[in-house]
Amino acid sequence: MGFMTSAISKLSKLSLFLFLIAMIPGLPPHAEFEAYSIPPSVPLEGALAINSKLNGAERMFQDVIHGPEDIQVYNGTLYTTLHGGHVVKIVNNKVHPVAKFGQKCEGFHEEDKCGRPLGLTFDKKGQMFVADAYYGIFQVDLGTGKSQNLVSINDTIEGRLPRIPNSVAVDNSGSVFWTDSSTSHRLHDGLFTALVNGNGRLLQYDPSSKTNKVLLDKLHFPNGVAISDDGSFLVVCETFNFRVLKYHLKGAKAGESEVFVDRLPGTPDNIHADGRGGFHLSLVLPRDVQNPTVVERLAPYPLVRKLLARLMYLGQQAVTLLRDLYPHEMLKRTAHLIGHFESLPSPSVKRVTVLSLTKEGKISRSLHATDGLSGISDFVEFGGYYYLGSPFNTFLARVKAI
């Protein structure tokens, strides 16, 4: 009986402690926590039926590269973005440097110093555009190698600073469309963005006036962005709402947005026009009706999300203090990883999925890997292969095209 009384007393004290952490005003993170709901995934049947078309991927450049997040083909050459602030091209199965953003750094744990290019694209003149999560939007002349910072991370845009420039697309007029995944947290605190309410944005940079305009606001981690083949609309992935939005650029609905496809069986990352009127969409983490994600389970419970975010923040600050007192390599890495997407455990569902979408937003085809490949953020078909990017993997995956 004494044991039970002691246990209940300790549990009551712990509950009170956690309640106070959740309720103390002014404690970071400073963001909104409101209840919302996410509809369940569509069934994995029909065009979404599981197959093994991405199984047996070759792992190119194993342990030579880290995080080939976005892949683009320009002028018959494959380009990708990497950890360490690099954009590289692949020629004759060798990696060649193209551009470097950020400063000299010790390694991954100094990601905010190194720079982390995420999205890239090319315009019709062959200029390369890159979204670096820590430094902003860049234009790179491939001929001279010179880069220009179009949008700085320190540029206030309609009252808020960009925190995670993520993806970029350019139309035929030269307008640059880009996503800012969060206005409250940086990329190394990405897990916080899954707990707070969406505050990301879709923006347009006007090269003539050198100004930015917010097109869509309060998006829950806006990610990949792509312009339709005819230039009439663009699509933007809203990662933690498991959907893709459509924003009209021309016609009677210009300036309006709507859902393009939702209830996706995974978190959408990058999206590219397929050259045939539709799009290729990569789902970086899987989900299904039997295996909902933590994000959708916690969506209706703002107090729980706030408590988790504050506990993570306090843990992060404690480790950071230790790191400052004892700058050991392990403490440096731990301080960086707390809150980082790279600290996520392996998903319980062992599946990789890439979707083909029609211009109307219908799923016309799916490609899956079920043999342990994970974390696929991008898909490009090139030279008889499917190339599969990832923010996490230490290799570039490729599979013989079917």
Side-chain angles (χ1 to χ4, degrees):
M1 190 68 178
F3 170 77
M4 288 295 295
T5 302
S6 176
I8 292 173
S9 174
K10 290 179 180 178
L11 183 60
S12 298
K13 291 177 181 177
L14 177 62
S15 299
L16 177 61
F17 173 70
L18 294 176
F19 177 78
L20 290 174
I21 288 178
M23 299 304 295
I24 292 174
L27 186 66
H30 302 297
E32 293 182 357
F33 295 87
E34 296 175 352
Y36 63 98
S37 62
I38 297 172
S41 167
V42 294
L44 294 171
E45 58 189 29
L48 273 171
I50 297 294
N51 55 54
S52 57
K53 294 180 179 179
L54 296 179
N55 281 1
E58 175 187 357
R59 301 189 174 199
M60 303 176 67
F61 316 115
Q62 179 82 58
D63 298 325
V64 174
I65 62 174
H66 182 189
E69 162 81 16
D70 195 345
I71 308 171
Q72 292 281 349
V73 176
Y74 174 71
N75 202 21
T77 300
L78 205 67
Y79 293 79
T80 189
T81 53
L82 301 177
H83 274 295
H86 301 280
V87 176
V88 300
K89 63 182 179 180
I90 297 169
V91 180
N92 297 324
N93 285 337
K94 293 184 179 179
V95 177
H96 299 269
V98 174
K100 169 70 173 79
F101 305 98
Q103 307 169 45
K104 187 177 180 180
C105 59
E106 292 183 8
F108 173 63
H109 61 277
E110 288 191 335
E111 183 182 54
D112 55 335
K113 188 176 178 181
C114 305
R116 180 41 167 135
L118 295 174
L120 81 157
T121 193
F122 295 86
D123 69 6
K124 61 182 181 181
K125 298 178 182 178
Q127 294 288 298
M128 183 172 71
F129 294 80
V130 181
D132 186 288
Y134 294 100
Y135 288 95
I137 307 298
F138 290 84
Q139 180 177 339
V140 182
D141 188 313
L142 292 181
T144 64
K146 293 182 179 179
S147 64
Q148 179 184 359
N149 191 193
L150 303 180
V151 184
S152 168
I153 201 75
N154 298 314
D155 291 343
T156 300
I157 302 170
E158 297 188 18
R160 287 177 292 168
L161 293 170
R163 299 288 82 185
I164 310 179
N166 193 320
S167 188
V168 62
V170 182
D171 69 9
N172 288 333
S173 72
S175 287
V176 181
F177 299 90
W178 58 285
T179 52
D180 178 20
S181 296
S182 174
T183 54
S184 60
H185 291 86
R186 309 300 300 275
L187 182 62
H188 55 251
D189 286 333
L191 289 182
F192 288 94
T193 68
L195 296 173
V196 306
N197 284 79
N199 55 42
R201 303 179 289 183
L202 170 67
L203 304 100
Q204 179 181 4
Y205 172 79
D206 181 349
S208 59
S209 64
K210 295 181 171 52
T211 58
N212 289 276
K213 177 172 66 173
V214 177
L215 304 181
L216 295 176
D217 201 354
K218 295 189 176 181
L219 303 181
H220 208 169
F221 207 90
N223 205 324
V225 61
I227 299 172
S228 63
D229 286 338
D230 64 2
S232 64
F233 65 93
L234 62 77
V235 288
V236 56
C237 297
E238 193 177 8
T239 297
F240 293 133
N241 267 330
F242 307 95
R243 66 183 183 178
V244 179
L245 302 177
K246 177 179 182 179
Y247 184 88
H248 295 271
L249 298 173
K250 299 177 182 178
K253 290 187 175 181
E256 298 180 13
S257 65
E258 60 199 55
V259 175
F260 189 61
V261 58
D262 65 353
R263 299 181 60 197
L264 291 166
T267 51
D269 198 312
N270 285 316
I271 188 168
H272 298 308
D274 63 8
R276 298 183 293 274
F279 302 90
H280 292 309
L281 172 65
S282 303
L283 306 181
V284 68
L285 296 173
R287 72 163 185 153
D288 55 43
V289 175
Q290 290 75 34
N291 298 279
T293 65
V294 173
V295 172
E296 57 195 294
R297 286 179 174 176
L298 293 178
Y301 308 107
L303 193 61
V304 174
R305 290 189 282 116
K306 181 186 286 189
L307 173 61
L308 291 174
R310 288 184 167 184
L311 288 173
M312 188 160 58
Y313 171 80
L314 292 173
Q316 187 182 65
Q317 294 305 301
V319 175
T320 300
L321 177 61
L322 285 173
R323 179 205 64 190
D324 293 342
L325 292 172
Y326 306 99
H328 189 275
E329 183 76 10
M330 184 187 70
L331 288 173
K332 291 179 182 180
R333 292 182 177 276
T334 302
H336 179 73
L337 279 173
I338 296 176
H340 198 290
F341 285 128
E342 296 237 0
S343 66
L344 284 170
S346 298
S348 57
V349 181
K350 304 300 181 183
R351 169 172 54 85
V352 159
T353 299
V354 174
L355 304 178
S356 294
L357 307 177
T358 68
K359 63 181 179 181
E360 294 81 21
K362 304 297 182 183
I363 298 172
S364 60
R365 181 182 71 153
S366 63
L367 303 173
H368 304 272
T370 57
D371 61 352
L373 187 66
S374 64
I376 295 305
S377 62
D378 207 6
F379 171 94
V380 166
E381 185 174 351
F382 173 65
Y385 288 92
Y386 299 143
Y387 287 86
L388 306 168
S390 170
F392 313 124
N393 292 339
T394 55
F395 57 86
L396 176 62
R398 76 173 183 181
V399 180
K400 195 73 175 177
I402 299 172

